[in-house]
Amino acid sequence: MNGAQSLVTTLVDHGVDVCFANPGTSEMHFLAALGDPRMRGVLCLFEGVCTGAADGYYRMADKPAATLLHLGPGLANGLANIHNARRASSGMVNVVGEHATKHLKFDAPLTSDIEGLARPLSHWVRRGGSAETIAWDTAMAVAKASEHPGQIATLILPGDTAWQDAGGAIAPSPVAQGRKAPDPERIAQVAKVLRSGEPTMLILANKACRIEPLELAGKVAAGTGCRLASQFFTNRIERGAGRVPLERIPYSVAPALKFLQGTRHIVTLETKEPVAFFSYPGLPSLLKEPGTQVHSLSEPDEDSTLALQMLIDELGLGNAQAQYQPSAEVVVPSGKLDPISIAHALCAGIPENGIVVDESLTSGRESMSYTLGARPHDMINNLGGSIGYSPPVATGAALACPDRRTICLVGDGSAMYTIQALWTQAREQLPVTTVVFANNTYNILKAEYSNMGAGDRPSEAALTMIDIDRPTIDWLSMGKAMGVPGVQVDTAEGLAKALLDANGEAGPRLIEVKLY
């Protein structure tokens, strides 16, 4: 067994059986080792698709995938979506090839400081020293990535460690750190706050947004009158008709301040107090009112389900009945596309147990709040803010859950960052519907231009850096070139029909939504 075979064997022995890869010369032995029938190798045409797909896979599978990246530049190409994954607490194992050890001293053109690139966005970084240590290093990387919250583990492997004999090294079986139990004194303090009757809001995130903890949070709300909310962006919420709903803190500062107005206590579960995404002239960074107290019920590395059960026991609410989200009124959408008609089309088109990956930005900020009563589904957001996350994340989510339809909602500007994901979806025949909202501009920046005090409206010179209509992107041709059939719609009824039609297909589909 050589080092590359030792890597793949250890990965699959420890539960990592998917690798999103964009290999180069230094990784040829690792590429050969991916022939292990227990490992599924998935080719991506850009490293940002590899890392984004690994993020989406973790969010739905609750276990890490691996990526295979080519040297420092390959890692650099994937860093934006590693940033998003880190913010979403997604675990992944990044395997980065390196020049053979003897070659590094010659400073060949692709030589770079891979550790320097990896460390700011990785929780764990290690450079392999020899083929004999790869099994041990790989096992440690998987254990780190599998912790709660998920961690980014980056393993740098020089080419010679891949082709050398790994000997008889046996990988350890490290146990990933489990979810910690919350402090009972903290639970008692939160219970005291809730008994006070002062306006209180529970803000849930990460694993606290799954069905079981949501049920428990619903009991707390029913018994105490507190509000249940989430940050504007969450890594995964199980939502829809028949589930306990969460209010969504608005993105923009003024509406968020109004939303939180009057709240005297904020209780956080696996998150922190709400902050503005950016700093705006004359507006606060913290969105709470002065004097609002913040209490942690469960820290990011703690078991929020256990914390909520302990809180229910402390409050004596075992018999409380949670309130569930009613089904949305069935509205047959028609006419012009606007946030409301788009929401009606989505409510009609989100299938039972679907997965919605939302990067619709301007088009979707208002629409998504109206889809709470759609059929039960999972919704995934971008916590890191680096755009171009949704097509890769949808790819990974669909690979993790091939029996469920994934709907990717993305603006045209964002989609151009990682549109190569369509090719991987076609190659793997993944059940993904990509909905591109095409307004031919970075429309969100027009609003931010004013919000930042740069002027009432962008000048003609500024617009040339915001509009993307010269030339207009042909999305249907883009999809066709990568093997994904598509349709263009410009009405609400057209969007609803296109979504329903796509739900009946086995492979990927693209819908271009023309916005005027």
Side-chain angles (χ1 to χ4, degrees):
M1 181 181 291
N2 63 25
Q5 292 164 334
S6 178
L7 168 77
V8 173
T9 298
T10 306
L11 285 172
V12 295
D13 284 350
H14 288 74
V16 178
D17 53 9
V18 173
C19 179
F20 299 99
N22 188 277
T25 302
S26 301
E27 295 80 43
M28 288 299 98
H29 286 81
F30 296 120
L31 184 62
L34 290 178
D36 186 321
R38 299 177 298 164
M39 173 65 78
R40 182 170 182 175
V42 180
L43 177 61
C44 303
L45 300 186
F46 174 60
E47 293 89 343
V49 175
C50 295
T51 54
D55 179 6
Y57 182 87
Y58 179 90
R59 297 202 205 192
M60 296 309 303
D62 284 325
K63 69 173 189 175
T67 69
L68 180 60
L69 310 174
H70 181 45
L71 301 173
L75 174 62
N77 282 341
L79 284 178
N81 276 327
I82 291 176
H83 163 79
N84 288 333
R86 181 185 173 103
R87 285 290 182 171
S89 299
S90 294
M92 71 174 68
V93 177
N94 296 312
V95 178
V96 185
E98 170 66 292
H99 288 305
T101 306
K102 65 174 183 170
H103 195 60
L104 285 171
K105 65 183 178 182
F106 298 110
D107 194 27
L110 277 169
T111 303
S112 64
D113 181 4
I114 301 178
E115 288 98 330
L117 291 168
R119 288 193 185 281
L121 295 178
S122 299
H123 299 88
W124 181 95
V125 178
R126 182 166 296 174
R127 174 182 285 266
S130 70
E132 288 87 350
T133 66
I134 284 181
W136 182 279
D137 292 341
T138 303
M140 297 304 294
V142 175
K144 191 66 179 177
S146 301
E147 289 183 4
H148 175 78
Q151 308 283 294
I152 307 297
T154 301
L155 180 58
I156 304 163
L157 295 178
D160 49 332
T161 67
W163 65 66
Q164 291 171 349
D165 183 5
I170 299 175
S173 297
V175 178
Q177 180 179 335
R179 301 173 70 178
K180 297 178 182 177
D183 182 356
E185 291 186 9
R186 216 186 314 135
I187 303 295
Q189 176 60 34
V190 171
K192 183 179 179 181
V193 166
L194 289 166
R195 288 194 194 99
S196 73
E198 294 187 323
T200 301
M201 180 181 296
L202 271 61
I203 301 178
L204 287 70
N206 202 3
K207 297 293 196 300
C209 295
R210 306 294 179 84
I211 289 176
E212 183 181 358
L214 284 174
E215 289 269 354
L216 297 174
K219 287 189 173 188
V220 174
T224 66
C226 70
R227 296 168 68 187
L228 302 179
S230 72
Q231 305 279 12
F232 185 79
F233 295 113
T234 52
N235 60 3
R236 176 182 168 189
I237 294 181
E238 295 183 306
R239 70 200 289 264
R243 294 176 174 174
V244 174
L246 296 177
E247 300 181 77
R248 192 181 189 189
I249 299 172
Y251 175 89
S252 299
V253 175
L257 292 171
K258 184 177 180 180
F259 180 88
L260 291 163
Q261 187 175 4
T263 301
R264 302 304 302 158
H265 298 276
I266 290 174
V267 177
T268 60
L269 290 88
E270 300 194 47
T271 188
K272 59 184 181 181
E273 63 183 290
V275 300
F277 219 69
F278 296 102
S279 174
Y280 297 90
L283 293 175
S285 293
L286 294 177
L287 300 178
K288 66 184 181 185
E289 287 186 316
T292 301
Q293 297 182 45
V294 179
H295 316 267
S296 172
L297 184 70
S298 59
E299 293 292 325
D301 61 346
E302 293 178 345
D303 189 332
S304 52
T305 302
L306 176 59
L308 285 163
Q309 186 60 64
M310 292 169 65
L311 181 62
I312 286 172
D313 293 343
E314 182 77 20
L315 292 168
L317 295 176
N319 294 322
Q321 294 296 314
Q323 298 295 308
Y324 301 103
Q325 175 66 43
S327 296
E329 179 185 357
V330 177
V331 177
V332 179
S334 63
K336 182 181 178 181
L337 286 161
D338 58 31
I340 303 301
S341 66
I342 289 172
H344 289 158
L346 289 173
C347 279
I350 294 174
E352 184 89 17
N353 208 30
I355 302 167
V356 178
V357 182
D358 181 28
E359 193 181 15
S360 48
L361 299 179
T362 311
S363 301
R365 280 187 183 171
E366 188 176 349
S367 298
M368 293 312 295
S369 62
Y370 289 97
T371 62
L372 268 175
R375 296 176 186 86
H377 62 279
D378 288 26
M379 188 173 78
I380 289 173
N381 293 128
N382 182 4
L383 280 78
S386 180
I387 66 175
Y389 100 102
S390 59
V393 165
T395 302
L399 197 139
C401 302
D403 57 336
R404 303 170 63 177
R405 192 78 191 173
T406 296
I407 298 176
C408 171
L409 307 174
V410 60
D412 49 1
S414 297
M416 282 301 294
Y417 280 66
T418 49
I419 196 62
Q420 305 94 326
L422 292 180
W423 184 89
T424 300
Q425 293 169 18
R427 181 185 179 95
E428 301 292 331
Q429 278 300 287
L430 298 176
V432 180
T433 302
T434 299
V435 181
V436 179
F437 293 98
N439 54 15
N440 302 313
T441 183
Y442 294 120
N443 204 41
I444 191 171
L445 295 183
K446 293 180 179 178
E448 295 293 66
Y449 192 90
S450 174
N451 292 339
M452 279 292 184
D456 292 335
R457 63 181 303 275
S459 65
E460 290 301 316
L463 284 174
T464 63
M465 305 303 294
I466 294 176
D467 288 333
I468 53 174
D469 60 345
R470 301 193 309 274
T472 299
I473 300 164
D474 187 339
W475 288 101
L476 298 190
S477 295
M478 186 90 71
K480 182 179 179 181
M482 286 183 275
V484 178
V487 63
Q488 183 185 96
V489 301
D490 58 6
T491 64
E493 60 265 36
L495 174 57
K497 181 179 185 303
L499 285 167
L500 292 171
D501 289 347
N503 289 343
E505 300 293 337
R509 292 294 184 271
L510 183 144
I511 303 170
E512 179 185 6
V513 180
K514 296 295 291 184
L515 300 175
Y516 301 100

